[in-house]
Amino acid sequence: MLVYSHVELNEVLALAMFFAFILLVFTGFPVAWILAGLAVLFTCIAIIVDIDLGLFTGVDWLYTSITVDRVWNVMENWVMVALPMFIFMGLLLDRSGIASELMTSFAKLFRRVNGGLAISVTLIGVLLAATTGIIGASVVLLALLGLPVMLRQGYAPMLASGTVCAVGTLGILIPPSIMLVLMADRMAMPVGDLFLGAVFPGLLLGSLYILYIVVLGWIKPDLAPKLPGEGSFDFKELQRLVLAILPPAALILGVLGSIFFGIATPTEAAGVGAFGALLLALWKRKLDLPVFKEVLTETTKTTAFIFAILIGATAFSLVLRGLGGDELIERTLLNLPFGPTGVVITILFCTFLLGFFLDWIELTLIILPLVSPVVVALGFDPIWFTVLFAVCLQTSFLTPPVGFAIFYLKGSAPPDLQATTIYKGVSPFIALQLIGLGLIFYFASLVTWLPAQAY
Amino acid sequence: MDLPSTWLSRIVDPALSRIAQGVSVIWVILMAVIVINVTARYLFEQGRIEFEELQWHLYSMGFMLTIGYALVVDAHIRVDVFHERLSHRARLWIDFYGLLFFVVPFCLVMLWYGWDFFIYSFNIGEISASPGGLPFRWFIKSFVVIGFALLLLAALSRLSRLYAGLFTRGT
């Protein structure tokens, strides 16, 4: 009886810890330090419970001090070196103006098509996937780059804002994205495999977006008008456009390709990719010293906040696991009356809900490691599950009333853009996401085929 | 958030910014090391262990040295859905209590055990376990201590500024 009640009390503490996190997140205090602080606080509580109630929780200072070793594991993790390098590469492409040049070139290329600008925004989002760490930043980037142009061209604000939101979140899914690097690390799977697994799902979603825009532009041309100006290209102009588009596209495909063919590890690909971006910016004469300094400072800041959350989440997860949180989740999930597929759907749905107020970093670091052993034990492919998890997160960021992407778009868009307009604008994209999610769910080979072909 | 500066923040904040500037150079060196290592691997058919170790040495120095700096420039991610609607004063209090009860204790725990972790490595004169790896493993391990010490300093500096903002009139 005593043993039974100790297990229960442990788990009450684990639950309290988790809900304390959810509650405190809304105070707006930095997420990294809420996680770290709760680890310390619940260690204190566990010790007090041990002493005062005479129960053994197994969590004391010595246990929590394992965080030091875990931080060290992060420090000596060679694969994670790719993270600052991808951030550096993305920021170089963005801040040097290569991104906006690409945007203009694509827009010219698609100017005879209704919806051409929206298609350009989609392609930019897909190509610059690695640019930014967090959803907020990529949505803001596209909002500044694409939204004013589309609105000036007479696009329906609904379509314009919906496209920016959807594409801004799609970026986190398309390799080489830093989210996938972090997910692979937590799942203890090769980064290359996850990158390759995400290629077709990412392209699938991107194609669905473009298909929707083309069809809409065809049915209702007023919503997405063509660019004015003469219709045909001369050879010179085409040459100029190709020259503007080809190098950055080749750079990103080169990074992916070298991982695919086993020529380089993700770390090497990231470092060489950053070098390539640097050469590209220099060759285009778009890099002066102030811009370069800004890129480096931003790399430092982004890297610092990602690793701060990584450290906080490490401490938090350690204490949560010490209190039996993972067993609690495993038992709850396995006791669900739905069968294995139902369990996966439940997990994805919970992830979807949590994605309303947490960015992918927290969910990847805390939720993914908690649920993945269950999914793997049920016999599902870990890469397939991770990609589904990622698509699910991305959908969540799009969904009103508290989608991250909507929130950030509202913050950076012209003030007369109503929230309801954005809601209406993202709705069709949410439908597309659900179609994509369903396809990936039923056709697992969309994910698993490519990694099996590599090396 | 606009906060008054204090004698502590006037010492700590510029120092941490200077360190962050130095770290900016680390990313360029890291990139160069990777490119050189890849080139060498293709020219001489072998990568070098010390180059690979140098890469994670540089990267871990990079983030351990700047986690405190991110606090100084307020770059850490917040969930600001509700935060934005709170009064300026309420936000100051949230940061004040958060730093005092969450960040400072966490730093103290990490420093306490991080010091043991470092000293142990130093006393046994630990080197890389790989043949051809870098010597002085304790050197890179010292960055656990340095990193959390800098974070503690940044937290104390910001606490002093929040205190001044909350209790000083007319600033």
Side-chain angles (χ1 to χ4, degrees):
Chain A
M1 201 57 217
L2 192 71
V3 172
Y4 181 69
S5 66
H6 127 235
V7 168
E8 262 194 339
L9 188 65
N10 259 6
E11 292 180 344
V12 167
L13 284 183
L15 276 178
M17 189 174 178
F18 188 74
F19 284 107
F21 168 62
I22 304 271
L23 272 177
L24 286 175
V25 150
F26 288 109
T27 61
F29 192 67
V31 176
W33 310 129
I34 293 174
L35 290 165
L38 282 175
V40 175
L41 184 68
F42 274 80
T43 309
C44 290
I45 293 177
I47 291 170
I48 292 170
V49 167
D50 277 5
I51 295 170
D52 284 1
L53 302 179
L55 298 167
F56 184 65
T57 54
V59 173
D60 55 14
W61 291 118
L62 209 59
Y63 177 80
T64 306
S65 75
I66 300 173
T67 308
V68 173
D69 299 276
R70 296 286 159 83
V71 169
W72 170 246
N73 292 342
V74 174
M75 289 172 68
E76 63 170 351
N77 185 335
W78 185 55
V79 177
M80 295 279 269
V81 177
L83 227 137
M85 287 295 101
F86 277 135
I87 294 170
F88 183 43
M89 170 180 150
L91 282 165
L92 264 173
L93 292 177
D94 171 17
R95 299 294 157 96
S96 66
I98 293 177
S100 66
E101 196 194 347
L102 260 179
M103 170 78 203
T104 346
S105 310
F106 274 131
K108 277 190 190 141
L109 205 59
F110 292 113
R111 70 177 167 206
R112 297 298 304 144
V113 188
N114 285 310
L117 276 174
I119 295 172
S120 309
V121 170
T122 310
L123 291 174
I124 291 293
V126 169
L127 271 180
L128 292 182
T131 304
T132 43
I134 53 172
I135 297 296
S138 55
V139 171
V140 168
L141 168 73
L142 288 174
L144 297 178
L145 214 61
L147 196 63
V149 192
M150 284 194 279
L151 292 179
R152 216 178 310 130
Q153 211 54 61
Y155 271 55
M158 231 174 66
L159 176 67
S161 54
T163 309
V164 166
C165 276
V167 176
T169 59
L170 182 64
I172 60 164
L173 188 67
I174 306 243
S177 94
I178 59 171
M179 177 177 84
L180 297 177
V181 176
L182 218 50
M183 282 184 163
D185 177 66
R186 291 290 107 166
M187 299 286 291
M189 59 173 68
V191 175
D193 285 0
L194 189 57
F195 273 7
L196 298 175
V199 166
F200 281 122
L203 289 181
L204 172 74
L205 289 168
S207 319
L208 284 175
Y209 290 1
I210 292 178
L211 195 69
Y212 163 72
I213 296 165
V214 169
V215 171
L216 191 74
W218 184 55
I219 301 174
K220 294 181 177 169
D222 306 349
L223 294 184
K226 296 181 187 122
L227 284 180
E230 71 279 15
S232 59
F233 295 107
D234 51 27
F235 178 72
K236 264 215 170 112
E237 195 181 357
L238 195 66
Q239 196 184 21
R240 219 180 48 237
L241 289 182
V242 169
L243 266 178
I245 293 170
L246 214 56
L251 178 66
I252 288 162
L253 290 177
V255 167
L256 274 183
S258 60
I259 297 171
F260 177 81
F261 293 111
I263 300 168
T265 64
T267 306
E268 292 171 344
V272 176
F275 186 59
L278 183 63
L279 290 183
L280 189 60
L282 285 173
W283 174 60
K284 298 223 169 200
R285 300 182 185 283
K286 293 207 173 221
L287 199 66
D288 50 12
L289 204 57
V291 174
F292 191 51
K293 274 188 180 162
E294 189 197 328
V295 166
L296 286 172
T297 311
E298 285 304 311
T299 307
T300 303
K301 281 187 197 166
T302 310
T303 309
F305 78 61
I306 289 179
F307 281 93
I309 297 183
L310 187 57
I311 289 170
T314 302
F316 182 88
S317 304
L318 186 72
V319 175
L320 190 69
R321 196 165 314 134
L323 293 171
D326 53 344
E327 288 150 33
L328 178 68
I329 289 197
E330 193 176 329
R331 215 179 46 233
T332 314
L333 285 175
L334 291 179
N335 284 341
L336 288 172
F338 310 137
T341 312
V343 171
V344 173
I345 294 176
T346 311
I347 293 173
L348 293 177
F349 185 68
C350 294
T351 310
F352 177 76
L353 293 182
L354 286 171
F356 280 171
F357 49 90
L358 293 177
D359 207 334
W360 61 263
I361 307 181
E362 298 89 312
L363 290 164
T364 300
L365 295 178
I366 296 167
I367 306 298
L368 193 59
L370 277 178
V371 297
S372 63
V374 181
V375 177
V376 174
L378 287 171
F380 292 102
D381 183 85
I383 301 179
W384 171 78
F385 173 71
T386 311
V387 171
L388 273 179
F389 189 89
V391 176
C392 193
L393 275 186
Q394 188 222 336
T395 315
S396 168
F397 297 147
L398 271 182
T399 309
V402 272
F404 254 97
I406 300 172
F407 185 69
Y408 280 106
L409 179 65
K410 188 86 187 70
S412 55
D416 52 332
L417 189 69
Q418 298 289 319
T420 44
T421 313
I422 306 180
Y423 289 173
K424 279 184 203 151
V426 292
S427 314
F429 287 98
I430 296 170
L432 294 177
Q433 285 293 128
L434 293 178
I435 294 172
L437 199 61
L439 286 174
I440 299 164
F441 195 91
Y442 282 103
F443 301 103
S445 52
L446 274 172
V447 177
T448 53
W449 182 77
L450 194 57
Q453 306 303 311
Y455 314 125
Chain B
M1 279 189 277
D2 281 334
L3 289 172
S5 62
T6 62
W7 65 267
L8 184 64
S9 74
R10 280 190 290 272
I11 301 169
V12 171
D13 295 3
L16 287 176
S17 300
R18 192 103 14 106
I19 291 174
Q21 271 173 22
V23 167
S24 292
V25 182
I26 285 186
W27 305 130
V28 182
I29 301 174
L30 175 56
M31 183 187 72
V33 171
I34 294 176
V35 171
I36 292 170
N37 195 38
V38 172
T39 318
R41 214 184 65 194
Y42 278 93
L43 289 183
F44 311 113
E45 304 262 315
Q46 60 169 16
R48 301 193 65 98
I49 293 285
E50 56 263 53
F51 270 78
E52 285 184 11
E53 292 203 346
L54 188 58
Q55 287 168 29
W56 63 256
H57 275 61
L58 286 167
Y59 126 102
S60 55
M61 281 160 68
F63 71 84
M64 287 311 282
L65 285 172
T66 51
I67 287 174
Y69 165 73
L71 197 87
V72 169
V73 293
D74 204 8
H76 286 296
I77 302 190
R78 302 165 180 269
V79 173
D80 31 18
V81 189
F82 295 112
H83 194 242
E84 274 201 333
R85 298 178 199 162
L86 296 174
S87 71
H88 180 64
R89 235 185 136 68
R91 279 188 266 175
L92 295 191
W93 276 116
I94 286 173
D95 267 30
F96 187 78
Y97 282 125
L99 288 169
L100 192 61
F101 292 118
F102 276 19
V103 180
V104 171
F106 179 68
C107 288
L108 294 177
V109 172
M110 294 305 283
L111 282 172
W112 183 266
Y113 290 101
W115 178 256
D116 292 350
F117 176 79
F118 158 65
I119 275 298
Y120 175 76
S121 171
F122 184 75
N123 283 341
I124 63 167
E126 192 183 2
I127 60 163
S128 169
S130 325
L134 297 176
F136 310 127
R137 184 49 54 89
W138 54 266
F139 170 76
I140 192 67
K141 285 193 170 178
S142 73
F143 280 87
V144 176
V145 180
I146 296 170
F148 285 103
L150 293 178
L151 178 62
L152 182 63
L153 280 176
L156 293 177
S157 155
R158 196 167 167 83
L159 268 173
S160 76
R161 296 180 67 195
L162 287 162
Y163 185 85
L166 281 163
F167 300 111
T168 317
R169 283 167 197 282
T171 40

